[in-house]
Amino acid sequence: MHSNLDTEEIYEENRLHGKQFELDNDGKICFEIGHLFLNVTHFREVLKGFGIQEGFGWWVKNEKCRVTIECKDDDCIWRIHASLVVDKETY
């Protein structure tokens, strides 16, 4: 994963608004609307860790500028979307 200092510098240079993704105080992955990820690879690394942490699998739909992840369980309505922002690298 990337260090927080690196991501802070990149977000500041590109004047991106939102909150950079960080693990919570207990080291767990928790998502919030507006989290920023360095790139699609960083987003996928965090999601992989989240799937392990929560014990579930998902479906991935990749589009040119957006990634959608949905829980595999038919009874589960959990999903997350990540889209490119103005710098064309950050999600």
Side-chain angles (χ1 to χ4, degrees):
M1 292 231 164
H2 306 279
S3 77
N4 287 341
L5 181 58
D6 293 340
T7 55
E8 285 176 16
E9 290 172 0
I10 290 168
Y11 297 153
E12 190 174 309
E13 285 174 15
N14 291 297
R15 297 178 186 185
L16 301 176
H17 301 285
K19 181 180 177 185
Q20 73 179 34
F21 172 80
E22 305 180 331
L23 298 175
D24 73 7
N25 292 337
D26 297 327
K28 292 185 78 175
I29 297 169
C30 297
F31 294 107
E32 294 178 17
I33 294 172
H35 267 154
L36 296 172
F37 301 86
L38 270 179
N39 52 42
V40 73
T41 303
H42 180 217
F43 177 64
R44 288 181 178 147
E45 287 173 359
V46 172
L47 279 168
K48 182 178 178 183
F50 185 72
I52 293 167
Q53 171 185 296
E54 300 297 322
F56 71 85
W58 56 79
W59 301 106
V60 177
K61 181 179 180 184
N62 290 304
E63 298 176 40
K64 185 176 180 180
C65 298
R66 179 173 62 176
V67 177
T68 302
I69 312 290
E70 295 181 1
C71 182
K72 274 188 177 180
D73 186 340
D74 290 336
D75 297 328
C76 177
I77 61 169
W78 185 91
R79 67 181 175 177
I80 188 169
H81 298 280
S83 302
L84 274 172
V85 294
V86 295
D87 71 347
K88 302 209 185 286
E89 187 171 349
T90 303
Y91 274 74

